Amino acid sequence: MTGSTAATFTADDYRARMGRAARAAAEAGLAGLLVAPGPDLVWLTGYTPPAVTERLTLLVLAAGQDPVLVVPALEAPDAHRAAGASALTLRDWTDGKDPYAATAALLDASGRFGISDNAWALHLLALQQALPGSSYASLTEALPMLRAVKDAAELDLMAAAGAAADATFEEIRNVPFAGRRESEVAADLDRLLRDHGHEQVDFTIVASGPNGADPHHDAGERVIARGDMIVLDFGGLRDGYGSDTSRTVHVGEPTDEERRVHDVVREAQEAGFRAVRPGAACQDVDRAARRVIADAGYGEYFIHRTGHGIGVTTHEPPYMIEGEERPLVPGMCFSVEPGIYLPGRFGVRIEDIVTVTEDGGRRLNTTTRELVIVE
C-alpha cells in the first residue's frame, strides 16, 4: 500500500476514536466491541496486519477499560509500530497456546458484544465456546454510524480522493472510446486512478450501449461503437479514504431521447444534492431524486438506492434509501447517484460524493454533470 493514514493521524487521534467507540458501545447496551482485521481495525488503531490468517488478531474495547489488542507473537513487532500502538495494550500469544482463553479472560462472560462484520466464523465460534454465556451482534447492526461522521482531517482526505477521481475523469474523457473494448477503457481508469494517488482501485465500471442498463456491469470484451451511451463509475482508496464517482458520456452526437434521459438524471441528482442538510432524514435525499425521475415517467427504471456512505471503505452506512429515517449530521459523507436504466438499450447514472455541512451539503466531485461527448 503506497498510501497510509498512519502519516496523517496520531496516537491521540486513535485514542480518541477508541474511547468514543467504547462509549458508543456502552450507550448501545453492549459490554464491548471486538474488532478483527479490516477497515474498523485500521480506523481505530492504524494497524493493518501483514497478512490476514487463521491466527487470531482482535481488538477488545470496553468503556472504563484500557484497549487491548490481542495479536500473534510473530506479528507483535508490526503491531508495535502501528500509529495507534501507544494508545493501547498489546497482548501477544504464541503458537501452541489458546488465544481464545486469553481473550475470554478480558471479556464479561455473560456480555453481549459488537463484533466486526468481517470477523471469521472460526474465531467467533471459538469465543462462543470459551464463553457460552456471551452473545454477539455485527457492528453494522449494533453501531452503524461508528465511522459515519468524519472529522476535519478525514474530510480533507475525502476531498483529496474526490479531486483525484475528478482528475481521472478529465483525462479519461479525452482517450479514444470507439473501436476499443470496455476492458481497455477500464484499464485506463485503473491506471489513471493510481497515477493520481490511489493505492487501491475498487471498481472501474465501463458499461457501453445496452450494457449501461446493468448498474454493476463488469467491463467486458464488448467493442464500443459510435452512438453508444457509456456509464463510467470508478473509485477506490487514496491515502486510506474512498473515492466514487459516475459520469455518463456519449460516443458522437446523442439522440434527442438520450439527451432527455440524461437531463432527467442530472436534474434528479441536483434535487438529491439540494435535499442534503443537517437534520434531514437519509430517505429525504432518496425521495427528492426519485421524485424527479418518477415525474418524468421513468420511475420503474430507477432500480437502486440513491446513495451509500463512504469513508475508509467505498460502501458503508448510512444509506440514502426509503425507510432510512436516521438524520443527516455534519461530517457525514455519501454518494448521490440516481440513474435510469432502459433494458436492452442504454443507461445513465451521475454520481457525486457529498458531505453534510453546517447549513447544507458540499460536493466532493466537481467535474461537469452535463453529457460529455467522446470519440
Side-chain angles (χ1 to χ4, degrees):
M1 180 179 290
T2 58
S4 173
T5 58
T8 303
F9 301 110
T10 68
D12 285 342
D13 293 321
Y14 292 114
R15 182 178 291 105
R17 289 179 185 177
M18 287 188 284
R20 190 165 76 245
R23 291 191 295 274
E27 291 168 3
L30 299 171
L33 301 180
L34 307 177
V35 185
D40 291 314
L41 185 64
V42 176
W43 184 77
L44 286 163
T45 69
Y47 176 53
T48 301
V52 178
T53 73
E54 73 283 357
R55 292 184 174 94
L56 180 72
T57 295
L58 201 66
L59 174 68
V60 178
L61 296 177
Q65 300 180 22
D66 291 336
V68 177
L69 181 62
V70 178
V71 295
L74 76 169
E75 294 174 2
D78 295 290
H80 277 289
R81 287 191 289 270
S86 63
L88 49 77
T89 298
L90 267 68
R91 186 161 301 179
D92 61 27
W93 60 276
T94 56
D95 286 351
K97 302 295 185 181
D98 183 352
Y100 305 107
T103 304
L106 303 171
L107 306 179
D108 178 346
S110 60
R112 181 169 178 78
F113 298 91
I115 189 165
S116 300
D117 296 10
N118 58 331
W120 286 23
L122 168 73
H123 301 319
L124 176 56
L125 293 170
L127 283 172
Q128 287 179 315
Q129 186 173 10
L131 294 172
S134 64
S135 60
Y136 303 85
S138 74
L139 278 188
T140 292
E141 173 193 341
L143 294 176
M145 296 295 103
L146 180 62
R147 305 192 314 255
V149 177
K150 278 65 177 176
D151 62 25
E154 290 181 293
L155 289 174
D156 286 344
L157 290 169
M158 290 292 302
D166 284 355
T168 295
F169 177 71
E170 294 295 358
E171 292 195 47
I172 202 70
R173 62 184 289 183
N174 293 315
V175 308
F177 280 79
R180 301 177 70 209
R181 293 180 175 86
E182 292 174 340
S183 58
E184 294 177 290
V185 179
D188 287 342
L189 283 169
D190 186 293
R191 173 182 55 80
L192 289 168
L193 283 168
R194 295 181 190 279
D195 286 349
H196 289 288
H198 282 64
E199 70 271 6
Q200 177 178 312
V201 175
D202 288 344
F203 42 87
T204 52
I205 293 172
V206 179
S208 63
N211 290 338
D214 175 2
H216 281 172
H217 172 69
D218 189 13
E221 296 309 297
R222 183 181 186 276
V223 176
I224 297 168
R226 292 193 67 80
D228 279 349
M229 192 83 92
I230 308 171
V231 177
L232 303 174
D233 184 346
F234 49 94
L237 299 183
R238 183 186 185 278
D239 288 331
Y241 281 76
S243 70
D244 185 1
T245 189
S246 300
R247 293 292 185 263
T248 301
V249 302
H250 196 277
V251 186
E253 285 300 315
T255 66
D256 289 345
E257 181 189 20
E258 287 170 331
R259 282 195 180 278
R260 182 169 64 253
V261 171
H262 190 277
D263 285 345
V264 170
V265 174
R266 181 172 50 81
E267 291 166 11
Q269 207 270 349
E270 178 66 24
F273 170 70
R274 289 199 304 268
V276 175
R277 62 185 184 281
C282 291
Q283 68 180 5
D284 293 342
V285 179
D286 183 81
R287 287 174 174 177
R290 199 168 298 275
R291 186 179 305 115
V292 172
I293 292 175
D295 288 350
Y298 293 99
E300 66 182 294
Y301 302 111
F302 181 12
I303 57 177
H304 57 71
R305 65 197 175 202
T306 294
H308 58 82
I310 185 170
V312 294
T313 57
T314 49
H315 281 212
E316 62 186 41
Y319 298 103
M320 307 302 114
I321 190 170
E322 181 66 29
E324 178 53 86
E325 298 179 351
R326 184 172 282 108
L328 300 180
V329 175
M332 284 182 174
C333 296
F334 49 84
S335 65
V336 179
E337 52 176 307
I340 293 174
Y341 308 93
L342 303 178
R345 302 183 62 206
F346 64 90
V348 175
R349 180 165 65 255
I350 301 172
E351 173 186 16
D352 293 327
I353 298 304
V354 173
T355 184
V356 185
T357 64
E358 294 297 332
D359 58 0
R362 176 168 66 96
R363 298 182 194 268
L364 300 186
N365 297 106
T366 59
T367 55
T368 182
R369 286 170 288 281
E370 300 292 333
L371 182 57
V372 169
I373 308 302
V374 297
E375 296 299 327

